[in-house]
Amino acid sequence: MTTTTVTNILLVGVGGQGTLLAAEVMSEALMAAGYDVKKSEIHGMSQRGGSVVSHVRFGQVVHSPIICEGDADIIFGFELLEAYRCLSFLKPNGTVIANDLRIPPPSVLLGKEPYPGGLAERIKASGAELILVDGLKLATEAGNPKAANTVLLGALSQRLDIDERYWQAALEKMVPAKALAVNQKAFQFGRAI
Amino acid sequence: MKEMLSGNEAIARGAYEAGIKVASAYPGTPSTEILENIVQYKEIDASWAPNEKVALEVGIGASFGGARALVAMKHVGVNVAADPLFTLAYTGVKGGLVFVTADDPELHSSQNEQDNRNYARFAKVPMLEPADSQECKDFTRLAVEISEQFDTPVMLRTTTRISHSKSVVTLGEPAGGLPAPALERNPAKYVMLPGNARIRHRFVEERTDRLADFGETLAINRVEMRSTEIGVITVGVAYQYVREVLPEASVLKLGMVWPLPAGLIRRFAAQVDKLYVVEELDPFIEDQVKAMGIPAIGKEIIPICGELTPAILRTAFNLPQTATTEPERLPGRPPNMCPGCPHRGVFYTLNSLKAYVTGDIGCYTLGFMPPLSAMDTCVCMGASIGNATGITKVVSPEERQKVVAVIGDSTFLHSGITGLLDMVYNKAPATVVILDNRITAMTGRQENPASGYTLMGEETFQVDLAQLCNTLGVQHVRTVDPYDLADTKRVLQEEMARPEPSVVITQRPCVLIKREGAFERGESQAVDFEICSGCKACLKLGCPAIIWQPSEGERGKAMIDPLLCTGCEVCAQLCKFSAIKALR
């Protein structure tokens, strides 16, 4: 089956966090490295604080642009609850790279229910390998808390077999010039994880 | 040269390579980015039209003038444009005309799930359907060529999964040597009074026959023979799922979905032991295959509602499925109006006035969500006003006073004007609230006739909504600042009580407008925890910047996230204890 040669990465976050831009950078790097790449997401309502999910698949030939439940090699999460919410997409013993960040959803803001506790432990208990990244802290150290996504991309890049120059080129292409230096630094902080 | 492009970006590129000169659209998910990307090609005159009917009429004019044209819209937009479409099918074209319908299986951001392949058959125009971004680009160009060759508009159908998925595209060179546009009189072809139209109808029927023959050898209708055990006829993104799940199956991949190549289908069916049709939504191909007397399996196993996925196909074909666990109950994360959204206070007020709100299509449809919970109907673009008129015709005089139509500036200009004209003309005593935030916000901040800018970024005449309403005959038009809750409430109460049609325009720019000076942040607000009584009044706004902080054993307090707060001060006006103040 062709699916065996395809790597599936599910990016999840909250609208406004830059999940889609991270998926763009990743796809650019993968294409430059010579892979067939497909990326899929749903815009629209999700721009307004809703859950955002982006599917990235790469390999020699990729057919479907979407990942099915149980097929993701990596869940790449920018918010802890969203990473946990998508856990059913992960392959047995897959990897979760997650930002150690909690953004309360509306029902939590309104005091109607608590933000679920022990999410990191529950992710680990499922058998997944969890890499928890303090994206905000490292991004702030790099010069801008908004670069947290790039820290996470750095952490992810260490776990994919793609030459670093493709990542650098993708950052240069996709990140606005004035923010590039900070993002390059943030990326290196991520790679050190 | 290769690039990762979304289906929409690829259609824009295809338009450029095809030598399109004029492109018009009304924004609508998932079609919006087509025009937003066409703007980068300076050879193309790209514009937002106030609605899809006008967009198509602009495209028709460009085509009649001899230029190649593209119009784009979402599936429900075609309902609006259907009137010119059906007659355009008769007149045909001069310059090639591509008509993109971006459908939304699964209703990711739509009010229904209609399958617009039915429009191609109904309007008697050919339709192409790409299965990835490369095909989006190639089919756009092919559509233009077919359009000119057969004297017909050509519909290009995408679905959300194609529009918004990116895949690798090889770029090409733009077409050269196209004739210069010029006026050419040909009333027998372009004036569809009955005598001419009867003649053109015969032409249309013959054209469909010729197109069906053409489809028999058209390269985008492609047979991929593998094992003959199973044969699948499929189209669009469903083709990708079939290849993923049934890699050994033989496939007839259709690129042209109307008219169908009957001979090709018959030959393919004869070569395989068992024939399936795998398509999203309606059994559009399946019904035609079965009508040809060919046994096939389709909707018996493939769902008619929603998007397909590889997992759904695995289930349909009894293939092993990855075991999934029962979903756990987790706090949901629905979309919400932005912090500082000027609509929030209006819906809060309408809720507190117990208004019966006939709603419309835009960000403000989110006024339906708790805790604002202030929307009672929502049908289609512009329907709020007509709905309000209809309701006031049937309910008691006391109840009439509760009826308020709510519509955004862009939606009002799209199709609210005629509704308001009718409301005044037929003396319906309802109140219309025009939420004027100077932009088409829902689809991602597109300019419109109320914003003062064109799609290409030029300054232009900015329609005066109050004056427009006056001209339509509304005697009572008032403008309020929706950040001023007390004034908004007072004006709404007065106008709701008035037994005549009236309009309240709430005027504040969308917080997402990036243009210099359009939206200016106020001072971030903060809760004084010493004063906060924990009454939760501020939470009734549902502002994402206000966070409830529970406290063990005692009353919790509200907190404001200074990064999210835009300083609109609406929450401060709700706090009876004056605990919310500017952060200093």
Side-chain angles (χ1 to χ4, degrees):
Chain A
M1 296 258 288
T2 50
T3 46
T4 52
T5 61
V6 173
T7 303
N8 297 316
I9 304 174
L10 195 76
L11 296 90
V12 297
V14 176
Q17 272 196 298
T19 310
L20 304 185
L21 181 63
E24 295 272 319
V25 172
M26 189 187 300
S27 305
E28 281 292 331
L30 291 163
M31 181 184 72
Y35 288 107
D36 187 18
V37 189
K38 282 193 175 161
K39 171 174 98 73
S40 182
E41 61 223 7
I42 301 300
H43 316 169
M45 295 268 195
S46 56
Q47 288 174 1
R48 283 160 187 84
S51 303
V52 178
V53 180
S54 189
H55 304 236
V56 173
R57 310 188 72 219
F58 68 96
Q60 292 316 307
V61 180
V62 179
H63 292 296
S64 163
I66 56 173
I67 301 166
C68 290
E69 286 194 270
D71 284 347
D73 297 276
I74 296 173
I75 287 180
F76 190 46
F78 298 99
E79 199 271 351
L80 213 47
L81 173 59
E82 295 311 310
Y84 182 73
R85 195 193 301 281
C86 288
L87 206 55
S88 62
F89 276 85
L90 195 66
K91 272 182 187 162
N93 307 315
T95 302
V96 177
I97 302 175
N99 197 6
D100 192 4
L101 175 75
R102 289 157 189 80
I103 300 176
S107 59
V108 176
L109 290 175
L110 296 172
K112 289 199 185 335
E113 54 188 330
Y115 189 96
L119 292 178
E121 291 71 25
R122 282 147 84 177
I123 290 171
K124 279 188 221 157
S126 76
E129 180 200 6
L130 175 66
I131 297 151
L132 208 54
V133 180
D134 195 342
L136 193 64
K137 180 171 153 265
L138 292 170
T140 309
E141 280 173 30
N144 189 342
K146 285 184 183 166
N149 289 355
T150 314
V151 175
L152 275 115
L153 272 179
L156 174 80
S157 73
Q158 281 289 38
R159 285 149 185 95
L160 297 178
D161 188 22
I162 299 165
D163 197 293
E164 193 189 338
R165 67 195 156 104
Y166 297 119
W167 289 97
Q168 293 296 354
L171 282 175
E172 279 166 33
K173 185 171 173 189
M174 312 300 294
V175 176
K178 61 177 184 192
L180 185 60
V182 167
N183 277 277
Q184 284 169 330
K185 207 167 166 188
F187 187 78
Q188 291 307 329
F189 284 177
R191 274 184 82 82
I193 293 168
Chain B
M1 169 85 169
K2 285 184 177 184
E3 272 192 49
M4 282 287 292
L5 297 180
S6 70
N8 284 343
E9 290 167 339
I11 290 172
R13 176 74 195 186
Y16 164 69
E17 292 183 10
I20 296 281
K21 283 277 169 280
V22 172
S24 185
Y26 182 79
T29 311
S31 71
T32 313
E33 300 83 4
I34 297 172
L35 268 269
E36 288 184 327
N37 281 285
I38 278 183
V39 174
Q40 68 186 287
Y41 306 108
K42 299 303 170 204
E43 299 80 357
I44 304 176
D45 180 299
S47 58
W48 293 127
N51 67 33
E52 294 83 356
K53 177 176 185 287
V54 175
L56 180 54
E57 288 157 352
V58 169
I60 292 171
S63 165
F64 287 180
R68 291 181 166 182
L70 177 143
V71 294
M73 58 200 65
K74 68 181 294 174
H75 62 323
V76 288
V78 179
N79 302 336
V80 178
D83 201 359
L85 169 64
F86 279 62
T87 302
L88 169 65
Y90 279 35
T91 63
V93 301
K94 190 169 176 216
L97 192 149
V98 191
F99 180 14
V100 183
T101 167
D103 294 8
D104 188 17
E106 201 68 43
L107 311 99
H108 294 287
S109 49
S110 303
Q111 60 270 41
N112 75 28
E113 207 173 22
Q114 71 192 41
D115 185 335
N116 276 5
R117 292 180 297 171
N118 294 297
Y119 263 116
R121 180 160 59 175
F122 191 8
K124 302 176 191 282
V125 297
M127 176 180 270
L128 308 184
E129 186 170 349
D132 60 21
S133 297
Q134 181 72 51
E135 289 191 350
C136 281
K137 183 183 80 85
D138 296 344
F139 285 19
T140 301
R141 185 156 182 170
L142 178 63
V144 173
E145 288 161 5
I146 292 174
S147 174
E148 290 177 356
Q149 186 183 341
F150 287 87
D151 187 14
T152 178
V154 176
M155 293 183 86
L156 182 74
R157 179 194 188 235
T158 59
T159 55
T160 303
R161 214 38 89 173
I162 297 295
S163 312
H164 286 172
S165 290
K166 283 202 171 188
S167 55
V168 182
V169 176
T170 305
L171 305 185
E173 289 302 312
L178 297 172
L183 291 179
E184 182 201 86
R185 290 177 215 280
N186 189 353
K189 183 170 185 307
Y190 298 133
V191 182
M192 283 301 100
L193 47 74
N196 290 341
R198 279 185 206 110
I199 294 164
R200 291 299 291 182
H201 186 185
R202 210 168 300 128
F203 166 81
V204 168
E205 298 304 332
E206 288 162 7
R207 181 179 70 197
T208 301
D209 291 343
R210 285 191 289 123
L211 279 159
D213 289 343
F214 175 71
E216 297 288 350
T217 54
L218 186 61
I220 62 169
N221 291 331
R222 174 173 89 221
V223 173
E224 300 173 3
M225 286 312 291
R226 296 183 192 89
S227 157
T228 52
E229 214 172 299
I230 287 181
V232 184
I233 302 176
T234 187
V235 65
V237 77
Y239 163 78
Q240 308 290 2
Y241 303 150
V242 169
R243 291 292 295 120
E244 182 98 15
V245 171
L246 304 165
E248 300 307 320
S250 291
V251 173
L252 169 54
K253 179 195 179 296
L254 294 172
M256 184 156 80
V257 289
W258 177 262
L260 289 184
L264 188 59
I265 290 170
R266 280 187 203 285
R267 285 196 301 281
F268 179 71
Q271 283 176 283
V272 297
D273 301 339
K274 206 165 181 184
L275 184 69
Y276 292 87
V277 181
V278 177
E279 56 192 324
E280 268 178 348
L281 299 181
D282 291 350
F284 181 79
I285 295 168
E286 179 187 340
D287 283 353
Q288 295 176 68
V289 169
K290 286 179 173 169
M292 286 161 63
I294 301 168
I297 301 163
K299 292 299 163 188
E300 297 94 325
I301 60 165
I302 309 289
I304 198 164
C305 299
E307 275 194 297
L308 298 181
T309 64
I312 289 172
L313 291 200
R314 277 187 209 141
T315 306
F317 285 91
N318 287 318
L319 295 167
Q321 194 70 257
T322 316
T324 53
T325 45
E326 269 303 291
E328 187 181 338
R329 231 212 69 67
L330 294 168
R333 203 184 290 276
N336 193 353
M337 290 179 202
C338 307
C341 176
H343 305 334
R344 180 173 279 108
V346 180
F347 283 103
Y348 174 84
T349 307
L350 289 168
N351 178 309
S352 73
L353 292 171
K354 299 192 168 49
Y356 184 93
V357 178
T358 57
D360 225 298
I361 308 287
C363 290
Y364 51 92
T365 313
L366 297 171
F368 167 78
M369 309 283 284
L372 295 168
S373 309
M375 189 162 293
D376 296 282
T377 71
C378 178
V379 180
C380 67
M381 296 285 285
S384 57
I385 303 178
N387 292 165
T389 299
I391 287 173
T392 56
K393 281 178 190 285
V394 297
V395 297
S396 69
E398 300 76 55
E399 285 195 314
R400 263 180 226 157
Q401 298 199 347
K402 296 273 175 218
V403 180
V404 177
V406 172
I407 187 165
D409 51 336
S410 183
T411 313
F412 178 68
L413 297 171
H414 176 284
S415 50
I417 300 172
T418 41
L420 186 58
L421 191 63
D422 173 70
M423 177 179 273
V424 175
Y425 174 56
N426 287 307
K427 303 178 183 178
T431 303
V432 175
V433 177
I434 301 177
L435 302 165
D436 178 15
N437 65 359
R438 300 276 123 177
I439 208 81
T440 310
M442 182 80 233
T443 40
R445 301 178 302 255
Q446 287 75 33
E447 308 292 353
N448 68 49
S451 76
Y453 291 86
T454 68
L455 168 59
M456 293 168 98
E458 290 168 11
E459 274 193 64
T460 185
F461 183 78
Q462 188 174 25
V463 68
D464 183 328
L465 293 175
Q467 213 176 61
L468 174 59
C469 294
N470 284 143
T471 306
L472 296 174
V474 185
Q475 301 296 312
H476 311 280
V477 181
R478 299 170 75 177
T479 301
V480 299
D481 176 1
Y483 281 173
D484 185 339
L485 283 188
D487 194 47
T488 300
K489 184 168 187 174
R490 185 178 56 80
V491 169
L492 278 172
Q493 266 174 322
E494 287 171 14
E495 295 309 324
M496 285 167 71
R498 195 190 294 279
E500 291 173 67
S502 61
V503 170
V504 177
I505 301 171
T506 68
Q507 219 161 46
R508 268 280 174 181
C510 170
V511 300
L512 297 177
I513 303 180
K514 285 184 173 147
R515 200 183 310 117
E516 197 74 20
F519 169 76
E520 283 171 22
R521 276 176 95 98
E523 286 191 69
S524 283
Q525 304 288 297
V527 176
D528 187 332
F529 297 127
E530 296 296 318
I531 307 174
C532 177
S533 74
C535 74
K536 294 190 176 177
C538 55
L539 295 183
K540 291 190 182 137
L541 285 170
C543 176
I546 309 178
I547 306 158
W548 182 249
Q549 304 268 298
S551 179
E552 204 68 41
E554 44 189 311
R555 291 188 92 168
K557 309 262 184 197
M559 196 198 91
I560 295 174
D561 182 335
L563 290 176
L564 291 178
C565 178
T566 64
C568 73
E569 299 184 12
V570 169
C571 57
Q573 296 167 50
L574 286 181
C575 183
K576 291 195 181 93
F577 306 93
S578 302
I580 301 177
K581 296 185 187 103
L583 179 73
R584 300 217 188 264

